[in-house]
Amino acid sequence: MNTPLVRVLYIDDEENNLHAFKASFRRQYEIYTAISAADGLKILENISIHVILADQKMPGITGVEFFKSITYSFPDPVRILLTGYTDIEALADAINHGDIYRYITKPWNDLELHNSIKNAYDAYKAKIDLRNKVAELEKTNDELNRFIYSISHELRAPLVSVMGIVNLVKMESLFESSGEYWGLIETCSNKLDYYIQKTLQYYKNNKTISEHTPIEFRKLVRELIDLYSYSDKETRFNVTIDQSEPFFGDVFRIEVILGNLISNAIKYQKEGATDKRVDITIAVNPAEAEISISDNGMGILNEHLEKIFTQFFKSKVNHGSGLGLFIVKEALNKINGKIAVSSDLAEGTTFKITIPNAK
């Protein structure tokens, strides 16, 4: 069975060492030698090398310095340092920066050096295999996300038609004509539309590149309240916005963040409560926007507070998709924002958000 051909580059300013190395290992490996770092760099530019050996003490540049100089241009080859003396500081520096796989003292032991090269090549293969698998997984994940996005769009078309038919039935005063059936159709359609919207939000949040544009929080909050409160006219909004400073940010993600939190504040009010209230406070300064969204709803159990931002988490009273707060957290991560939550079952829930001003 053929063994893979391992390409090894050895750089040393002493020709005798280069000849000795080639004589010892030419049968096991494809050997390339260089008398200087400059010659070694030329070989790297033309040949795909798997393992690099370099002498520490060379004129003009040390082995550690050479390895550091090729960290970004040639990150894949595994590095082995050969040294005839113990320079602890240089070795510690090289290891700490991840520039060498291991070091071997000169004169080397052939068996030790052979094993080191073999193990270094195994590390090289593992690195390349991992990268290929990650690339394959990323491609598969991207294809799956695009498929989900496409399907979600396709589902919306017939769903909008169904919701349109329900509205026509209402306009013709036939909504109550078939008992609870039209109501069930409307409820199921709204729930499906909600799931589709959250799926599209999740996809867009992952794919959309941040663009910083001017944001007027008064206008944005008013539009979001109108959008999410159309089905619940009982909830009262108290809005206080202090924006004397211009604010620049990612309007798509800020809409996603505020929209999900306002929607939740409405959705999780106490059933039958007569004083449903949501307080929104926003203060903008040159560095950031500080946002607080509070409700007097049903609150969140203490043991759930650390879990509410995880994907698909649902409490017993949560009838949503389990994606809303996860999307909020992901969107904040994309724009370097922060979020904190406090809650009391009797008093309600408060979310505090900080978003950097990108101006």
Side-chain angles (χ1 to χ4, degrees), residues 96-227:
N96 288 338
H97 285 83
D99 294 310
I100 66 169
Y101 173 71
R102 66 169 301 176
Y103 79 93
I104 294 173
T105 56
K106 293 165 65 178
W108 64 76
N109 175 284
D110 280 3
L111 181 59
E112 180 191 9
L113 188 52
H114 170 66
N115 287 334
S116 296
I117 294 171
K118 183 175 175 297
N119 293 336
Y121 178 68
D122 289 340
Y124 171 87
K125 279 199 307 178
K127 185 196 298 186
I128 299 302
D129 288 346
L130 179 61
R131 181 192 299 157
N132 292 338
K133 284 187 169 101
V134 168
E136 189 177 334
L137 285 172
E138 285 176 345
K139 182 183 174 185
T140 302
N141 185 59
D142 187 55
E143 289 173 351
L144 180 60
N145 278 335
R146 280 189 280 117
F147 172 76
I148 292 171
Y149 182 73
S150 176
I151 288 294
S152 297
H153 261 297
E154 293 298 323
L155 285 172
R156 282 218 82 209
L159 179 61
V160 168
S161 297
V162 172
M163 295 169 78
I165 291 169
V166 172
N167 287 329
L168 283 174
V169 169
K170 284 182 176 179
M171 290 170 63
E172 295 178 7
S173 302
L174 298 173
F175 194 74
E176 308 294 339
S177 64
S178 301
E180 298 179 354
Y181 294 130
W182 283 114
L184 289 171
I185 291 170
E186 182 180 41
T187 301
C188 292
S189 298
N190 287 335
K191 189 174 287 189
L192 181 57
D193 186 50
Y194 173 80
Y195 290 149
I196 290 173
Q197 293 285 10
K198 288 294 175 248
T199 302
L200 293 173
Q201 272 188 3
Y202 173 72
Y203 176 86
K204 288 179 180 177
N205 182 51
N206 278 338
K207 294 297 177 185
T208 304
I209 297 170
S210 288
E211 291 184 2
H212 298 145
T213 55
I215 294 175
E216 289 292 334
F217 280 103
R218 289 180 187 85
K219 180 174 180 291
L220 178 59
V221 170
R222 186 171 62 250
E223 290 173 352
L224 290 171
I225 290 173
D226 290 343
L227 176 64

Side-chain angles (χ1 to χ4, degrees), residues 55-341:
D55 183 38
Q56 167 63 2
K57 197 172 182 182
M58 295 186 290
I61 188 170
T62 66
V64 169
E65 289 168 346
F66 173 73
F67 284 149
K68 281 186 181 179
S69 71
I70 63 169
T71 297
Y72 297 106
S73 49
F74 300 98
D76 292 334
V78 181
R79 299 139 164 79
I80 296 175
L81 188 71
L82 298 175
T83 177
Y85 65 102
T86 306
D87 186 346
I88 297 298
E89 285 187 11
L91 294 176
D93 186 44
I95 292 168
N96 288 338
H97 285 83
D99 294 310
I100 66 169
Y101 173 71
R102 66 169 301 176
Y103 79 93
I104 294 173
T105 56
K106 293 165 65 178
W108 64 76
N109 175 284
D110 280 3
L111 181 59
E112 180 191 9
L113 188 52
H114 170 66
N115 287 334
S116 296
I117 294 171
K118 183 175 175 297
N119 293 336
Y121 178 68
D122 289 340
Y124 171 87
K125 279 199 307 178
K127 185 196 298 186
I128 299 302
D129 288 346
L130 179 61
R131 181 192 299 157
N132 292 338
K133 284 187 169 101
V134 168
E136 189 177 334
L137 285 172
E138 285 176 345
K139 182 183 174 185
T140 302
N141 185 59
D142 187 55
E143 289 173 351
L144 180 60
N145 278 335
R146 280 189 280 117
F147 172 76
I148 292 171
Y149 182 73
S150 176
I151 288 294
S152 297
H153 261 297
E154 293 298 323
L155 285 172
R156 282 218 82 209
L159 179 61
V160 168
S161 297
V162 172
M163 295 169 78
I165 291 169
V166 172
N167 287 329
L168 283 174
V169 169
K170 284 182 176 179
M171 290 170 63
E172 295 178 7
S173 302
L174 298 173
F175 194 74
E176 308 294 339
S177 64
S178 301
E180 298 179 354
Y181 294 130
W182 283 114
L184 289 171
I185 291 170
E186 182 180 41
T187 301
C188 292
S189 298
N190 287 335
K191 189 174 287 189
L192 181 57
D193 186 50
Y194 173 80
Y195 290 149
I196 290 173
Q197 293 285 10
K198 288 294 175 248
T199 302
L200 293 173
Q201 272 188 3
Y202 173 72
Y203 176 86
K204 288 179 180 177
N205 182 51
N206 278 338
K207 294 297 177 185
T208 304
I209 297 170
S210 288
E211 291 184 2
H212 298 145
T213 55
I215 294 175
E216 289 292 334
F217 280 103
R218 289 180 187 85
K219 180 174 180 291
L220 178 59
V221 170
R222 186 171 62 250
E223 290 173 352
L224 290 171
I225 290 173
D226 290 343
L227 176 64
Y228 290 103
S229 65
Y230 75 96
S231 61
D232 183 345
K233 301 301 181 184
E234 298 176 1
T235 301
R236 180 166 48 89
F237 285 86
N238 300 316
V239 180
T240 305
I241 297 177
D242 177 13
Q243 185 178 3
S244 56
E245 294 281 343
F247 185 90
F248 285 76
D250 185 331
V251 67
F252 165 71
R253 291 189 170 91
I254 291 173
E255 277 186 4
V256 166
I257 292 160
L258 296 180
N260 273 289
L261 293 176
I262 290 170
S263 172
N264 282 356
I266 297 169
K267 189 189 307 177
Y268 295 113
Q269 290 288 334
K270 292 172 183 173
E271 195 172 337
T274 55
D275 180 29
K276 299 178 181 180
R277 188 183 74 253
V278 177
D279 299 323
I280 301 174
T281 304
I282 301 177
V284 177
N285 60 56
E288 61 195 13
E290 296 176 347
I291 303 167
S292 173
I293 299 178
S294 301
D295 64 67
N296 61 344
M298 59 184 65
I300 304 167
L301 292 169
N302 283 333
E303 57 264 35
H304 290 166
L305 286 177
E306 294 182 1
K307 304 174 185 176
I308 60 174
F309 297 107
T310 56
Q311 197 171 17
F312 302 122
F313 174 76
K314 292 185 184 182
S315 65
K316 290 182 180 178
V317 296
N318 189 341
H319 304 296
S321 63
L323 277 174
L325 289 177
F326 171 75
I327 292 171
V328 167
K329 190 71 166 63
E330 289 291 295
L332 280 165
N333 288 340
K334 295 279 187 183
I335 58 175
N336 298 318
K338 296 178 181 177
I339 188 167
V341 57

Side-chain angles (χ1 to χ4, degrees), residues 9-15 18 33-44 52-55 58-62 66:
L9 168 63
Y10 177 29
I11 306 169
D12 196 322
D13 64 313
E14 295 182 28
E15 254 186 285
L18 298 178
T33 58
I35 198 74
S36 68
D39 288 346
L41 191 58
K42 288 178 184 175
I43 292 171
L44 284 171
I52 307 172
L53 292 87
D55 183 38
M58 295 186 290
I61 188 170
T62 66
F66 173 73

